[in-house]
Amino acid sequence: MENQVDIENDGGMIEEEKFDLERNFSTISESGSIRVPLLKSKSRVNNTSQIAIVGANVYPIESLDYDIVENDLFKQDWRSRKKVEIFQYIFLKWTLVLLIGLSTGLVGFFNNIGVENIAGFKLLLTSNLMLDGKYFQAFAAFAGCNVFFATCAAALCAFIAPAAAGSGIPEVKAYLNGIDAHSILAPSTLLVKIFGSILGVSAGFVVGKEGPMVHTGACIANLLGQGGSRKYHLTWKWLKYFKNDRDRRDLITCGAAAGVAAAFRAPVGGVLFALEEIASWWRSALLWRTFFTTAIVAMVLRSLIQFCRGGNCGLFGQGGLIMFDVNSGVSNYNTIDVLALIFIGVLGGLLGSLYNYLVDKVLRTYAVINERGPAFKILLVMSVSILTSCCSYGLPWFAGCIPCPVGLEEKCPTIGRSGNYKNFQCPAGHYNDLASLFLNTNDDAIRNLFSSNNSNEFHISTLLIFFAGVYCLGIITYGIAIPSGLFIPVILAGASYGRIFGRALGSLSNLNVGLFSLLGAASFLGGTMRMTVSICVILLELTNNLLMLPLVMLVLLISKTVADIFNKGVYDQIVKMKGLPFLEAHAEPFMRNLVAGDVCSGPLLSFSGVEKVGNIVHALKYTRHNGFPVIDEPPFSETPELCGLVLRSHLLVLLNGKKFTKQRVLSASNILSRFHAFDFAKPGSGKGLKFEDLVITEEEMEMYIDLHPITNTSPYTVVETMSLAKAAILFRQLGLRHLCVVPKKTGRAPIVGILTRHDFMHEHISNLYPHLVPHK
């Protein structure tokens, strides 16, 4: 990490860079020089929250430029656009949304086929060996397959794409909040996410593929929204319109919603999940596009599932996309049911908050192990795999054999990989209920728990053992170096204790055990995820039972309210633990005691409207700033005034073009004729122009360049006396990277400082005002 500590954020600067700048600029003449820093206090230097954990490695963090840069080049481009070009842009945007839906639907279907067939082969092999009485060989085959699949998944994550580990939902959530982290949406991450998720779920881990599908959908959207690739000669003229963070953000939001729709076959739930949990910024046009995307996903999945019903997809069963039909259950409920529901909601909140607490502790422990290198990551995955295999195969031996119910339509015991009645070691006509849960795919286990055909199918002791096993395994599994989701472990654990309540109430309740399982799953989801609307709709779309709407709503509200007393949602905790500088929708109470001018980082560097090339080169070389104020002075203006803000990336392109003048004069016309707005567009996942790529001679260093054509003349500004709470909400809702702070009174420099994302972080403010900021 030694080479990471000097990473700079958007506007602040660390101490070493500050002294280098003061030394280098102390001899620069007043004319055309960079002004004396306006903020000289060393305590104002922001050196917090500049690196974060992505995967298991530490990387620099920057912000995304969601704000439109309205400079002269941008205005010239918009004025020159014809109606046909505007139509092309709109048409292509809808086309990309369509492609995101199609691609995500196909990937979701491919994931399910992969899991069903790979896990199905493993379970069939184990079952056949057990039927022959070869119990030791059956365990060796079961555990050996699990370790092999787990090792392959871990190797992909450890060596190819560390950012693919985990669910990816916290990273996507952070990206849509404006945080640009290393490789979280790269093509390599996409490939490892797909194949690693298939192998990880097939390895029998208590994880789901739903969280990774959200990350997968976002990666697909990012790949399609790159705006072409010069490296591979994919630079179609129309694609240039998407070389900006704002359009990519919209497409990635659609991709995340498509991922949920593909994972749960819940198109409306996908839209609401993106709105409630993922996206930090929303508008009506985005609602239409996400809805269109998820509708396409649903159509693709429905068509492919119908194709597979004819036995054309190997061991792929009745969909495998966790469509749990509990519509057969009667939804009439009495007072006892409502009281039981309230208790389930409270229990879900308590268990969910404890689950989040333990997941946080385990993640911090695993981070220490994973930092030691790829070999330790793989060893950790193998250890958890062996433990999971021992539990899944060993615990059913403690369960007794149950006689098969009379009058069943399906075979009992079940012959094959799935079904409600696993034979395990039982004699003919009997089944092992605990094996029916552990020795199944996670989707089939949920389907068995939600089943209401036989209320006595699972003993209460069996459900208790399964709940304890899934609860603990889910905690210790999340955080290892494989793509893994939390939805399935949480649904499994919640459905287990929900069914226990249904069995305990018996004839006192009007609801069957399957519906109680659904309510238990809802309560645990509310206690861990802290979402209400989206989870409610997803569960209703999963189970095809709209009559349960009032009960699911109530249990989600109760569990979320109870859990919020103790800690935050699991994804919010992971974002914080990774060090991602996430901006919340609300401001902290202590921010109302401070004003914007109290936290501005310094020193502040600014340029003249026509600046000496050498000054710009020195500023780019010795700082990591991404935005610089441009101040016009006489003779270009009557008094010093803020012209706007210029971005580091735009300065690099301008310097590389070498449209310099020997005299300090305006030369905007030459620059406007030489450059096009798309020359300054942000590159995709490929690397853009860097400072090291510039070749500036000593003679050129003494020349001048006009910054007006690339200066954003309408940056967002706030007065220095605005409360920090109000500035924070404004910064977040507008999706800004820089917020200029201007003085309250005249007669001072036209800008006081620049607020960036890191200036609103708790760590930075607590360093400045420890007496005002409560300790976290």
Side-chain angles (χ1 to χ4, degrees):
M1 287 178 57
E2 289 79 12
N3 61 338
Q4 304 284 357
V5 239
D6 62 343
I7 296 301
E8 178 46 28
N9 60 47
D10 302 312
M13 186 190 315
I14 65 167
E15 297 288 339
E16 292 83 356
E17 291 179 344
K18 174 184 173 183
F19 294 132
D20 285 343
L21 274 172
E22 290 179 346
R23 182 172 63 250
N24 281 283
F25 292 155
S26 59
T27 58
I28 296 177
S29 62
E30 183 63 24
S31 60
S33 67
I34 297 178
R35 264 147 298 287
V36 177
L38 299 175
L39 301 173
K40 296 182 179 180
S41 172
K42 294 181 182 180
S43 63
R44 295 283 184 89
V45 176
N46 190 338
N47 54 10
T48 62
S49 305
Q50 296 168 21
I51 55 177
I53 300 173
V54 181
N57 301 325
V58 177
Y59 294 102
I61 294 297
E62 289 189 1
S63 294
L64 294 162
D65 295 296
Y66 286 151
D67 185 27
I68 295 178
V69 178
E70 293 184 341
N71 54 32
D72 291 342
L73 283 164
F74 172 84
K75 295 172 184 176
Q76 177 180 267
D77 174 62
W78 268 105
R79 285 193 298 265
S80 64
R81 284 194 188 183
K82 301 175 183 178
K83 288 185 178 181
V84 65
E85 291 179 311
I86 297 174
F87 173 78
Q88 288 173 353
Y89 168 73
I90 297 172
F91 174 79
L92 186 57
K93 197 163 190 176
W94 282 100
T95 302
L96 288 176
V97 167
L98 171 66
L99 292 175
I100 290 169
L102 291 172
S103 303
T104 308
L106 290 170
V107 169
F109 182 73
F110 172 74
N111 280 2
N112 282 277
I113 286 184
V115 170
E116 293 284 321
N117 283 279
I118 295 175
F121 165 78
K122 175 191 69 178
L123 294 172
L124 273 176
L125 177 62
T126 306
S127 176
N128 291 335
L129 288 171
M130 293 198 72
L131 288 174
D132 294 338
K134 301 176 180 178
Y135 299 122
F136 179 78
Q137 292 92 325
F139 173 72
F142 180 72
C145 289
N146 285 345
V147 171
F148 174 74
F149 298 147
T151 304
C152 292
L156 289 173
C157 279
F159 293 108
I160 299 177
S167 70
I169 291 180
E171 286 81 1
V172 176
K173 184 175 180 179
Y175 183 93
L176 295 177
N177 189 256
I179 301 168
D180 190 13
H182 180 77
S183 296
I184 59 173
L185 299 176
S188 58
T189 303
L190 171 62
L191 291 175
V192 172
K193 205 76 180 182
I194 295 172
F195 293 102
S197 177
I198 293 173
L199 292 168
V201 176
S202 301
F205 286 118
V206 185
V207 297
K209 52 188 178 294
E210 289 66 35
M213 268 308 303
V214 176
H215 195 180
T216 299
C219 289
I220 290 172
N222 181 66
L223 186 63
L224 292 173
Q226 289 297 302
S229 170
R230 293 181 181 178
K231 180 179 179 182
Y232 298 105
H233 304 290
L234 299 174
T235 52
W236 191 27
K237 181 181 177 181
W238 290 13
L239 291 174
K240 65 184 181 181
Y241 297 132
F242 295 90
K243 286 186 174 290
N244 62 84
D245 287 332
R246 174 171 286 218
D247 283 321
R248 287 176 194 154
R249 172 190 62 190
D250 291 353
L251 293 174
I252 289 168
T253 303
C254 293
V260 176
F264 293 109
R265 207 195 309 171
V268 180
V271 175
L272 294 175
F273 183 86
L275 172 61
E276 183 178 8
E277 179 66 13
I278 296 293
S280 297
W281 186 86
W282 200 263
R283 59 194 175 97
S284 58
L286 189 56
L287 180 66
W288 278 102
R289 290 193 179 94
T290 52
F291 187 72
F292 175 72
T293 310
T294 56
I296 295 297
V297 171
M299 292 173 63
V300 170
L301 292 177
R302 182 72 61 173
S303 302
L304 293 174
I305 289 170
Q306 290 297 329
F307 172 76
C308 283
R309 289 191 190 279
N312 302 313
C313 302
L315 294 172
F316 188 78
Q318 297 296 316
L321 293 163
I322 53 174
M323 186 70 170
F324 313 118
D325 194 348
V326 296
N327 202 29
S328 58
V330 179
S331 299
N332 296 326
Y333 42 90
N334 54 31
T335 305
I336 293 178
D337 293 327
V338 174
L339 294 175
L341 179 145
I342 294 173
F343 189 79
I344 289 175
V346 173
L347 182 63
L350 295 173
L351 290 173
S353 58
L354 177 63
Y355 192 89
N356 292 358
Y357 173 79
L358 295 175
V359 164
D360 183 73
K361 297 300 180 184
V362 169
L363 285 174
R364 295 179 186 276
T365 303
Y366 285 174
V368 177
I369 299 174
N370 290 334
E371 283 178 358
R372 301 176 70 89
F376 284 87
K377 295 180 185 179
I378 296 174
L379 285 174
L380 178 60
V381 171
M382 294 174 67
S383 302
V384 175
S385 176
I386 293 171
L387 176 61
T388 303
S389 299
C390 291
C391 291
S392 298
Y393 190 86
L395 289 177
W397 288 93
F398 296 98
C401 294
I402 304 174
C404 289
V406 181
L408 286 177
E409 295 181 2
E410 57 182 306
K411 292 182 179 181
C412 180
T414 304
I415 305 299
R417 65 166 184 84
S418 62
N420 293 45
Y421 306 101
K422 284 282 186 178
N423 177 262
F424 203 61
Q425 87 290 9
C426 296
H430 293 71
Y431 71 97
N432 187 309
D433 57 345
L434 191 54
S436 301
L437 297 175
F438 270 120
L439 290 181
N440 250 329
T441 60
N442 292 332
D443 293 358
D444 287 328
I446 295 175
R447 192 172 285 109
N448 292 346
L449 287 170
F450 281 2
S451 172
S452 56
N453 296 330
N454 179 10
S455 59
N456 298 319
E457 181 179 342
F458 302 104
H459 286 160
I460 291 181
S461 59
T462 295
L463 295 171
L464 283 171
I465 294 172
F466 184 70
F467 166 73
V470 168
Y471 192 93
C472 296
L473 288 174
I475 291 170
I476 66 171
T477 303
Y478 194 79
I480 60 177
I482 63 168
S484 54
L486 280 173
F487 275 97
I488 291 301
V490 169
I491 292 176
L492 281 169
S496 300
Y497 69 73
R499 196 173 180 100
I500 292 174
F501 272 93
R503 285 294 310 274
L505 290 176
S507 59
L508 297 176
S509 172
N510 289 343
L511 302 176
N512 62 49
V513 289
L515 296 179
F516 270 106
S517 294
L518 171 63
L519 294 172
S523 70
F524 202 21
L525 283 168
T528 53
M529 310 293 181
R530 311 295 164 83
M531 292 177 280
T532 52
V533 180
S534 56
I535 293 295
C536 180
V537 174
I538 287 173
L539 286 175
L540 294 179
E541 289 185 283
L542 277 177
T543 56
N544 193 27
N545 194 339
L546 192 60
L547 296 175
M548 291 295 292
L549 176 62
L551 298 182
V552 174
M553 290 173 65
L554 183 59
V555 78
L556 281 168
L557 288 170
I558 294 173
S559 61
K560 181 185 184 305
T561 303
V562 171
D564 280 340
I565 298 173
F566 300 98
N567 50 32
K568 291 185 176 182
V570 63
Y571 297 132
D572 293 325
Q573 286 191 171
I574 294 172
V575 166
K576 181 182 176 183
M577 187 209 73
K578 287 177 175 288
L580 297 167
F582 189 87
L583 290 176
E584 298 289 349
H586 60 276
E588 296 285 352
F590 64 82
M591 290 185 176
R592 302 198 177 278
N593 299 322
L594 299 168
V595 295
D598 291 333
V599 298
C600 291
S601 299
L604 179 67
L605 299 178
S606 59
F607 296 132
S608 295
V610 181
E611 186 60 82
K612 182 180 284 187
V613 174
N615 292 347
I616 300 175
V617 170
H618 278 88
L620 296 178
K621 182 177 181 180
Y622 293 105
T623 75
R624 300 291 190 273
H625 289 0
N626 284 288
F628 299 89
V630 176
I631 298 177
D632 271 337
E633 292 181 328
F636 304 111
S637 63
E638 295 182 0
T639 58
E641 62 181 27
L642 178 64
C643 177
L645 199 70
V646 63
L647 298 182
R648 180 187 189 89
S649 59
H650 292 185
L651 287 171
L652 291 172
V653 175
L654 190 64
L655 290 176
N656 195 50
K658 298 192 174 184
K659 280 290 181 179
F660 308 142
T661 59
K662 293 185 177 181
Q663 303 299 323
R664 193 164 180 248
V665 295
L666 296 173
S667 58
S669 58
N670 293 334
I671 294 174
L672 290 173
S673 61
R674 162 67 176 79
F675 292 98
H676 191 274
F678 293 112
D679 295 328
F680 297 87
K682 188 169 184 179
S685 55
K687 302 298 181 183
L689 189 65
K690 294 183 177 180
F691 177 80
E692 292 76 15
D693 301 327
L694 296 180
V695 179
I696 307 294
T697 65
E698 289 295 329
E699 181 183 357
E700 290 171 336
M701 293 281 278
E702 298 300 321
M703 300 176 73
Y704 293 88
I705 190 166
D706 190 356
L707 301 181
H708 290 96
I710 65 167
T711 300
N712 181 8
T713 55
S714 56
Y716 286 96
T717 61
V718 296
V719 69
E720 62 181 336
T721 54
M722 176 183 283
S723 74
L724 189 61
K726 195 172 182 179
I729 294 173
L730 178 70
F731 192 95
R732 201 256 194 188
Q733 289 182 346
L734 294 175
L736 301 180
R737 184 172 186 173
H738 306 98
L739 183 60
C740 298
V741 181
V742 296
K744 177 74 172 178
K745 298 179 180 179
T746 59
R748 297 170 56 189
I751 181 169
V752 175
I754 297 179
L755 288 173
T756 66
R757 171 178 301 272
H758 299 281
D759 295 317
F760 295 104
M761 292 297 105
H762 187 278
E763 298 84 358
H764 172 57
I765 303 174
S766 62
N767 286 340
L768 296 178
Y769 306 100
H771 60 289
L772 289 178
V773 182
H775 177 71
K776 278 194 176 183

